[in-house]
Amino acid sequence: MKLLRIFLVFIASLFIAIPMIAQETPALDLSGAGDSLYPDLGNSGYDVQHYTIRLQTPMNENTITAEAVITALATADLEQFNLDFSRLNIDSLSVNGEAAEFSRSGSELMILPPQPLAEGDTFEVVIAYHGTPSSSVNPSLGAALGWNYASRIVYVVSEPDGAQTWFPANDHPSDKATFTLEITVPEGFVVAANGVLEETVTRDGQTTFRWEMRQPMAAYLATVNIDRYIEFSGESPDGVPIRNYLPARYENFNDRVFGLQGEMLDYFASIFGEYPFDVYGAVVVDQSLGFALETQTISLFDNTIFVGDSENVVAHELAHQWFGDSVSLSDWSDIWLNEGFASYAEWLWLEYSRGVQSRDAAIADAYDFMSGRAFQEFGYSDREIRAELAYFGLTGEPNANDLFNAAVYYRGGLTLHALRLTVGDETFFEIIRAYADQYRYGNATTDDFFAIAEEMSGLNLGKFKQDWLYSLAIPPIPSMGLFPPNLD
Ligand SMILES: [Zn+2]
């Protein structure tokens, strides 16, 4: 996720006080995955292996008719289990081929399998459903998440909890699965989704696109985008296939905006390790959304990507394919592992493409913003600056209502640069590669990352981690001449 108007957000923060919500660790129950920020997201007791979603939409109105086939492994003995699923009407539901009873409460779908499931059993749930998907406005983003329909286009952006608006899901990144997305639209429309487009079949004026996502994917990264797209196919210099989908009227913008994607991909592979997926590319939604999202193998951008210099956004979403998509969060409170890494990757791309001075200038800007020095230069009083710093909160522990706080991006990125300066370049990139490799296609926590960093550097990084991620006061970076301002 990359917020394109983060500066406006921080100005607006002067006028809005968002109350802290008391958090307590919930007891593990079937209706949640144990997330510290979003206890209701996801479910326990099973591990989804694969989703097949067959979905048809007429495109002249916002309705869908769909069937989800979910293959899962029971990780406990289950008399019942839950899925996350919002609002759509269920026509039928079966478990292992037998009709099953179910009930719904909010976005929790509770299912009673006809036969109890034993730990270790693989089981199949088939749910037929239809209706008008209604996207949900998440307070962290103020944007409509999930399945969105707007004047004959469809786009899906779901971080963190929008997946359940269009398919029944274990809607938490700790349960990743492979996906088949089989989407049927009127002939002439093009469907851009995750993975490899395996088959396109047109019959009776309807075209079905079958997309296969063969590496595990978190539900929020699943995307379906429908428009009259032009497809651009190519590959990176080292041979990773790239396909971009642009609305027809932006056909001529592909090279200018996405021309560096291949070179970026190969550069990131050289420092992070092999690109984790079969393909990469971009899809552009013909709307002004104010953010971009790292939907797996096909990053999603809005039409403001065509305005001004968007190289940093393109680099940011690409880097997320390693950090966020391949290595995913175990708990949403560790979001800096996604956003701090992607922000740092923007600076790494600057270092590679324009030199160390450009990188250091960007880092100094971020430091001045996060330390409050930039506010001082804008004439804020010390009291106002303290309020701003408190609003940023703790990088390693964001508020549930403010998941995409500037700190998880900028101070997260600064944390990585400070680590690099502490352990040295060679060890730093060994740490990054080991982290990407060890947790490839899996899930990691902040502690997992620091365990690797300590092992490879031989340093005790407990105080470093505490100071950078879990303290309000930002540490100095003396070797770059970066110090927090003195405040009364
Ligand atoms: Zn991001």
Side-chain angles (χ1 to χ4, degrees):
M1 172 77 70
K2 170 84 179 176
L3 303 173
L4 307 177
R5 302 194 191 98
I6 207 155
F7 202 67
L8 291 180
V9 171
F10 110 75
I11 294 292
S13 74
L14 281 175
F15 307 103
I16 302 166
I18 294 180
M20 295 289 288
I21 290 179
Q23 297 290 344
E24 54 188 54
T25 307
L28 197 65
D29 67 36
L30 292 176
S31 67
D35 194 89
S36 68
L37 293 188
Y38 307 111
D40 292 337
L41 274 190
N43 306 280
S44 299
Y46 62 90
D47 177 10
V48 176
Q49 309 293 302
H50 188 80
Y51 295 91
T52 296
I53 299 161
R54 299 190 181 93
L55 185 153
Q56 181 158 14
T57 181
M59 293 307 290
N60 60 354
E61 58 176 26
N62 183 23
T63 58
I64 62 172
T65 305
E67 178 186 73
V69 180
I70 302 170
T71 310
L73 177 73
T75 56
D77 294 339
L78 295 172
E79 303 272 335
Q80 66 169 75
F81 62 91
N82 285 27
L83 285 161
D84 302 308
F85 193 38
S86 305
R87 298 188 189 95
L88 291 162
N89 307 300
I90 294 177
D91 301 313
S92 66
L93 191 156
S94 70
V95 178
N96 290 333
E98 289 185 60
E101 287 181 34
F102 62 91
S103 61
R104 304 178 78 170
S105 169
S107 58
E108 292 292 333
L109 168 60
M110 290 149 283
I111 299 170
L112 288 169
Q115 319 293 335
L117 302 165
E119 182 179 350
D121 283 356
T122 297
F123 60 100
E124 185 182 83
V125 186
V126 179
I127 302 175
Y129 57 98
H130 74 276
T132 297
S134 42
S135 51
S136 62
V137 175
N138 182 283
S140 289
L141 206 52
L145 294 186
W147 183 278
N148 280 273
Y149 174 88
S151 56
R152 293 181 186 245
I153 67 167
V154 163
Y155 63 95
V156 173
V157 288
S158 298
E159 189 178 13
D161 59 357
Q164 55 193 281
T165 67
W166 66 285
F167 67 97
N170 192 12
D171 199 358
H172 191 271
S174 57
D175 188 1
K176 299 165 73 167
T178 50
F179 279 72
T180 300
L181 298 169
E182 223 175 274
I183 312 297
T184 301
V185 291
E187 189 175 358
F189 285 96
V190 175
V191 177
N194 310 91
V196 176
L197 177 59
E198 284 294 341
E199 194 179 28
T200 306
V201 178
T202 298
R203 199 174 291 137
D204 301 331
Q206 300 287 314
T207 306
T208 299
F209 295 77
R210 181 164 63 84
W211 289 84
E212 294 286 351
M213 183 64 246
R214 293 199 178 84
Q215 291 80 32
M217 176 166 74
Y220 80 90
L221 294 169
T223 193
V224 169
N225 302 281
I226 310 171
D227 197 346
R228 296 180 186 278
Y229 288 121
I230 306 280
E231 182 191 345
F232 296 85
S233 308
E235 55 180 36
S236 76
D238 289 346
V240 175
I242 293 180
R243 71 282 183 270
N244 296 336
Y245 288 86
L246 272 64
R249 65 198 180 102
Y250 298 110
E251 188 175 0
N252 297 329
F253 286 72
N254 185 59
D255 282 354
R256 186 171 73 72
V257 177
F258 298 111
L260 289 170
Q261 241 177 0
E263 197 187 331
M264 276 181 192
L265 191 153
D266 290 349
Y267 165 63
F268 285 148
S270 77
I271 54 173
F272 301 153
E274 190 185 359
Y275 177 70
F277 304 117
D278 299 329
V279 288
Y280 185 60
V283 61
V284 178
V285 175
D286 202 355
Q287 296 275 302
S288 172
L289 305 177
F291 60 84
L293 184 64
E294 62 271 22
T295 33
Q296 191 158 305
T297 71
I298 185 155
S299 293
L300 183 150
F301 301 88
D302 73 349
N303 60 16
T304 66
I305 194 75
F306 299 126
V307 182
D309 182 0
S310 45
E311 209 174 302
N312 62 330
V313 187
V314 173
H316 180 106
E317 304 310 333
L318 173 56
H320 269 310
Q321 303 300 314
W322 283 264
F323 304 111
D325 295 8
S326 171
V327 181
S328 298
L329 301 179
S330 297
D331 191 282
W332 280 109
S333 65
D334 288 330
I335 184 80
W336 84 276
L337 289 172
N338 290 6
E339 300 308 342
F341 277 64
S343 298
Y344 192 58
E346 294 177 42
W347 301 336
L348 290 172
W349 173 250
L350 273 183
E351 176 181 334
Y352 174 79
S353 61
R354 295 181 208 179
V356 167
Q357 279 190 331
S358 295
R359 179 203 70 192
D360 285 351
I363 289 174
D365 277 352
Y367 188 90
D368 287 348
F369 182 44
M370 295 314 301
S371 70
R373 192 173 285 282
F375 297 87
Q376 206 170 40
E377 285 163 12
F378 290 138
Y380 286 46
S381 71
D382 286 3
R383 190 181 59 79
E384 288 168 335
I385 294 171
R386 284 191 190 287
E388 282 308 316
L389 298 183
Y391 176 74
F392 288 146
L394 301 177
T395 305
E397 219 175 288
N399 188 298
N401 283 335
D402 195 20
L403 185 64
F404 303 108
N405 191 300
V408 303
Y409 291 80
Y410 298 123
R411 189 153 157 181
L414 291 166
T415 300
L416 290 174
H417 195 61
L419 179 65
R420 179 175 170 183
L421 295 172
T422 302
V423 302
D425 275 17
E426 197 181 326
T427 303
F428 175 76
F429 287 106
E430 281 171 12
I431 291 167
I432 298 296
R433 272 193 297 277
Y435 172 66
D437 180 58
Q438 193 167 326
Y439 294 100
R440 189 177 174 95
Y441 308 139
N443 299 85
T445 64
T446 298
D447 286 347
D448 292 332
F449 173 70
F450 274 96
I452 289 177
E454 290 194 333
E455 186 188 327
M456 305 201 82
S457 68
L459 299 174
N460 181 337
L461 295 167
K463 183 176 181 334
F464 176 97
K465 181 173 75 173
Q466 182 66 31
D467 289 350
W468 275 98
L469 296 178
Y470 303 106
S471 307
L472 272 187
I474 192 168
I477 306 180
S479 67
M480 294 181 72
L482 299 174
F483 297 90
N486 291 316
L487 300 176
D488 288 338

